[in-house]
């Protein structure tokens, strides 16, 4: 057992398909990071089914995390949870578990913004201080950087998220989750075999981008059956990734920051990493990718952001711990940054 005088935060993630519990020391050492993903039998995430999954596995994931961290729950100093953005039923399940734990242990509760947490875990794990961050996942696509007390959004999707775009196309192409492999990773494998670049819509509007027209066009071509599926996967990736890369590059040029951070589930994609690395090099910026374990939604990022919040005076009274489905990153004060 670890020494009880060490301070720990336990963080709960439940914004969408993953239920995760992480435990972090106040110095940022991650002692446990356990997740259980809801995989729909068919189609996309059904919020109520995902929430039911989270309620069923909460107990198991919690005790696995505590065992892994090898700490007595009574030594937890604070409980944090992802308060938003995300799917209502999923968020509420995680918040309920967090409230119950905080009340039972009689410790403070801290509601954490899920998008801020993706950026903070990326910074922690890559020793990055003040990056332009590209956060790309199943539910979010945005370029953010710290300015005047908050992460400001420099560009974002106007409709669907990048991961969602890849997942819907992958499902239409008949790809399935195999051996726990995300759909985006299955699509990435097929894309490496693509040879021909098929013409598809490219929609960047100012600093924002739109992916729904690209997805519709790619699915329509797939259904017509005139192109190899590998070529369509390759072309979809090239177009979508170029769009996010263009917006990211302009944010780098505008802010003149010297670090670029790629975070979120889609950060695992090698082709996207290569594109962003070359952009960073052109702007003399250091390129960093969040390690694979912390790319998709996870409890460790909520625990670490809970530590940052709590140690800078932020706590969430139970009566203010309602979930925030559309909680934008630029609405969150981040007093730990100057
Ligand atoms: P998150 O929402 O952060 O949990 O991330 C999940 C998203 O990341 C899903 O849309 C996945 O398909 C996507 N994803 C995971 N691995 C990869 C990959 N190698 N390439 C592209 N997308 C990926
Ligand atoms: Mg997820």
């Amino acid at each position: 057992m670890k020494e009880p005088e060490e301070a720990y935060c336990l963080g709960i993630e439940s914004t969408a398909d993953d239920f995760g519990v992480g435990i972090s020391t106040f110095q940022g050492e991650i002692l446990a990071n356990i997740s259980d993903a809801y995989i729909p039998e068919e189609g996309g995430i059904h919020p109520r089914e995902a929430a039911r999954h989270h309620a069923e596995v909460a107990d198991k994931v919690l005790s696995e995390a505590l065992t892994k961290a090898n700490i007595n729950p009574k030594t937890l100093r604070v409980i944090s949870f992802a308060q938003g953005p995300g799917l209502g039923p999923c968020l509420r399940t995680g918040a309920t578990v967090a409230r119950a734990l905080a009340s039972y242990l009689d410790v403070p509760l801290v509601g954490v913004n899920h998008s801020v947490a993706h950026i903070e875990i990326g910074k922690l794990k890559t020793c990055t201080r003040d990056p332009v961050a590209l956060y790309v996942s199943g539910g979010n696509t945005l370029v953010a950087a710290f300015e005047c007390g908050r992460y400001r959004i420099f560009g974002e999707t106007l409709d669907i998220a990048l991961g969602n775009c890849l997942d819907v196309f992958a499902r239409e192409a008949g790809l399935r989750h195999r051996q726990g492999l995300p759909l985006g990773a299955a699509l990435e494998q097929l894309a490496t075999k693509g040879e021909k670049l098929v013409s598809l819509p490219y929609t960047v509007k100012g600093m924002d981008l739109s992916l729904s027209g690209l997805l519709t066009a790619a699915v329509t071509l797939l259904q017509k059956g005139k192109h190899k599926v590998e070529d369509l996967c390759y072309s979809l990736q090239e177009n979508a990734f170029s769009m996010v890369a263009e917006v990211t590059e302009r944010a780098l040029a505008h802010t003149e920051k010297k670090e670029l951070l790629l975070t979120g589930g889609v950060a695992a994609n090698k082709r996207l990493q290569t594109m962003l690395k070359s952009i960073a090099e052109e702007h003399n910026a250091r390129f960093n990718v969040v390690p694979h374990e912390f790319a998709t939604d996870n409890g460790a990022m909520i625990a670490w952001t809970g530590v940052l919040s709590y140690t800078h005076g932020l706590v969430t009274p139970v009566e203010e711990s309602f979930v925030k489905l559309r909680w934008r990153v630029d609405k969150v004060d981040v007093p730990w940054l100057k």
Side-chain angles (χ1 to χ4, degrees), residues 282-323:
E282 283 204 16
H283 291 266
N284 296 319
R286 190 166 73 91
F287 177 61
N288 302 278
V289 187
V290 68
H292 200 272
E293 180 191 350
F294 302 101
T296 43
D297 299 338
N298 63 86
M301 67 184 193
I302 305 300
W304 171 234
T305 312
V307 170
L308 292 172
S309 307
Y310 177 71
T311 53
H312 290 80
L314 300 178
V315 293
T316 310
V318 171
E319 60 277 16
E320 287 170 26
S321 66
F322 48 83
V323 298

Side-chain angles (χ1 to χ4, degrees), residues 150-163:
R150 290 185 180 180
Y151 285 110
R152 308 290 166 176
I153 297 178
F154 284 81
E156 62 189 318
T157 180
L158 295 169
D159 41 52
I160 56 172
L162 180 58

Side-chain angles (χ1 to χ4, degrees), residues 123-304:
K123 284 166 59 189
L124 175 75
K125 287 288 160 188
T126 60
C127 300
T128 303
R129 293 190 52 219
D130 182 25
V132 165
L134 171 60
Y135 163 39
V136 275
S137 71
N140 297 277
T141 296
L142 56 89
V143 179
F146 180 76
E147 212 64 69
C148 301
R150 290 185 180 180
Y151 285 110
R152 308 290 166 176
I153 297 178
F154 284 81
E156 62 189 318
T157 180
L158 295 169
D159 41 52
I160 56 172
L162 180 58
N164 187 225
C165 173
L166 300 176
D167 291 349
V168 171
F169 184 83
R171 244 181 260 118
E172 288 287 334
L175 302 181
R176 295 282 171 265
H177 291 273
R178 256 180 244 113
Q179 290 142 3
L181 200 65
L183 286 175
L187 186 141
E188 178 182 21
Q189 280 184 0
L190 268 191
T192 59
K193 301 194 186 104
E195 289 164 341
K196 188 174 150 231
L197 191 62
V198 178
S199 174
L200 288 169
Y202 182 100
T203 319
V204 172
K205 299 182 181 182
M207 285 296 283
D208 295 327
L209 52 101
S210 158
L211 293 160
S212 61
L214 168 64
L215 173 62
T216 306
V219 169
T220 306
L221 287 180
L222 178 76
Q223 287 165 349
K224 285 190 178 151
K226 289 191 187 141
H227 296 280
K228 280 169 53 185
V229 64
E230 290 85 351
D231 289 340
L232 287 175
C233 291
Y234 166 65
S235 308
L236 177 66
Q237 277 200 177
E238 290 303 299
N239 259 47
F241 294 171
S242 303
M243 284 155 62
V244 291
E246 180 186 332
V247 171
T248 309
E249 178 167 21
R250 277 202 255 131
L252 256 189
H254 175 76
T255 59
E256 297 183 350
K257 299 220 186 238
K258 289 296 157 216
E259 295 167 317
L260 175 58
L261 173 69
L262 175 59
T263 192
V266 189
N269 189 289
K270 293 278 180 288
R271 177 62 184 138
L272 180 60
Q273 292 175 11
T274 306
M275 275 193 196
L276 289 164
K277 184 162 183 280
S278 72
I279 282 170
E281 280 166 5
E282 283 204 16
H283 291 266
N284 296 319
R286 190 166 73 91
F287 177 61
N288 302 278
V289 187
V290 68
H292 200 272
E293 180 191 350
F294 302 101
T296 43
D297 299 338
N298 63 86
M301 67 184 193
I302 305 300
W304 171 234

Side-chain angles (χ1 to χ4, degrees), residues 13 15-18 45 114 137-138 296-297:
E13 158 62 34
T15 55
D17 55 340
D18 300 289
I45 303 173
H114 172 88
S137 71
T296 43
D297 299 338

